[in-house]
Each structure stands twice: as structure tokens, then as C-alpha cells.
């Protein structure tokens, strides 16, 4: 089966995901989360989903926001490094839980460093990033040097 650009085939659905993305970005900001943390979550979710298009885009966005190359280099193994704060570690673990749909009640990420509003904002961020990854991968978005 040939690749199908989902956004071109169903532009109204694509626009709905864009609108959801805008709402989620506003929720992340209202929850007081650092924009660099939001990019780390987007990158980690994209790593888990194997979305090259989103990885390239959000790595560039993270660098533009002042993220370090050292932290980006170890993001795939964030739990083994000392580069990330307690809040960042909690957010990354939560995003992984949302992406993997881990069994309810596990909450290994819950170290008390995220408010209920922040937990909700990060969960929505991971949900919308999972949607974008699936759109990009299924549409075979080009990733060329």
C-alpha cells in the first residue's frame, strides 16, 4: 500500500489535532512548566514511537530554546544520568507511562514534584505528541538532510 498523507486526505481531522495541540501548549504554559521540559517530553515520546520527523523538529526547537546537547544526547537514557531534575524525571516517566499505557496504579514517576495541573498538562502533551507521531509516521513525512 502506498503512503497516504493523512492531513491531505482528511484536512478537517488534521486541523482538529492542530487545535488540540494549541490548547495543550497553552495548558503546559499555564501549568508553569518550562518550555525546554515540554520539548524534552516531545522528544522522548517521539523516540519511543520512532518518529524521525518529530525528533528532528523538536530537537531543533529544544536547541533554539537553550537546551544543551549533552542533555539531548542522554535523553534516551534519562534515568541513568544526573542531568535531569526531579521534576524533569517525573515528567519524562509520566510521558513514558502515557505512551506505553502502563498498568494503572504504577506511578513510579510520582515523586511529588508535579502538581495535579502539571500532571494533567504533561499527560495531554504526551497524548497529543503520540497523535502527531502517528500522523507523521503513517504519512511517511520526509526527513532528509
Amino acid at each position: 500500500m502506498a503512503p497516504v498523507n493523512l492531513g491531505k486526505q482528511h484536512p478537517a481531522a488534521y486541523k482538529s489535532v492542530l487545535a488540540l495541540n494549541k490548547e495543550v501548549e497553552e495548558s503546559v504554559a499555564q501549568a508553569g512548566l518550562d518550555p525546554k521540559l515540554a520539548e524534552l517530553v516531545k522528544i522522548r515520546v517521539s523516540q519511543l514511537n520512532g518518529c524521525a520527523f518529530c525528533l528532528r523538529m523538536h530537537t531543533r526547537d529544544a536547541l533554539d530554546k537553550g537546551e544543551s546537547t549533552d542533555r539531548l544526547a542522554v535523553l534516551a537514557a534519562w534515568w541513568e544520568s544526573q542531568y535531569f531534575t526531579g521534576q524533569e524525571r517525573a515528567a519524562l516517566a509520566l510521558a513514558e507511562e502515557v505512551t506505553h499505557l502502563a498498568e494503572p496504579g504504577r506511578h513510579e514517576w510520582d515523586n511529588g514534584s508535579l502538581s495535579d495541573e502539571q500532571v494533567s498538562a504533561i499527560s495531554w502533551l504526551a497524548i497529543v505528541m503520540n497523535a502527531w507521531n502517528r500522523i507523521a509516521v503513517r504519512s511517511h513525512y520526509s526527513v532528509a538532510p
Side-chain angles (χ1 to χ4, degrees):
M1 181 180 294
V4 174
N5 185 311
L6 302 179
K8 288 182 181 175
Q9 289 298 311
H10 291 93
Y14 187 85
K15 288 178 185 175
S16 294
V17 176
L18 280 173
L20 175 61
N21 188 79
K22 183 179 180 203
E23 282 293 321
V24 169
E25 292 289 340
E26 290 172 8
S27 296
V28 167
Q30 289 172 359
L33 293 164
D34 188 325
K36 288 190 292 188
L37 172 57
E39 293 304 327
L40 291 175
V41 167
K42 292 174 187 178
I43 294 166
R44 184 65 186 131
V45 168
S46 298
Q47 288 173 337
L48 295 170
N49 288 323
C51 183
F53 181 86
C54 293
L55 281 166
R56 182 180 64 177
M57 177 172 52
H58 293 293
T59 297
R60 289 175 177 175
D61 290 348
L63 289 168
D64 287 345
K65 290 178 178 157
E67 187 55 78
S68 76
T69 55
D70 281 353
R71 284 168 40 105
L72 292 173
V74 299
L75 182 59
W78 59 267
W79 61 91
E80 282 200 345
S81 82
Q82 291 71 47
Y83 279 104
F84 302 97
T85 67
Q87 184 181 57
E88 290 167 335
R89 296 169 78 78
L92 291 167
L94 173 58
E96 288 183 6
E97 183 176 291
V98 170
T99 299
H100 289 143
L101 291 178
E103 65 274 7
R106 233 173 111 200
H107 305 305
E108 292 175 5
W109 53 266
D110 192 1
N111 63 11
S113 64
L114 297 171
S115 69
D116 288 349
E117 183 181 19
Q118 291 172 330
V119 168
S120 179
I122 290 168
S123 295
W124 275 108
L125 183 62
I127 289 165
V128 78
M129 199 63 230
N130 276 286
W132 282 124
N133 291 164
R134 282 150 178 78
I135 291 166
V137 170
R138 288 297 312 152
S139 298
H140 296 276
Y141 286 179
S142 176
V143 182

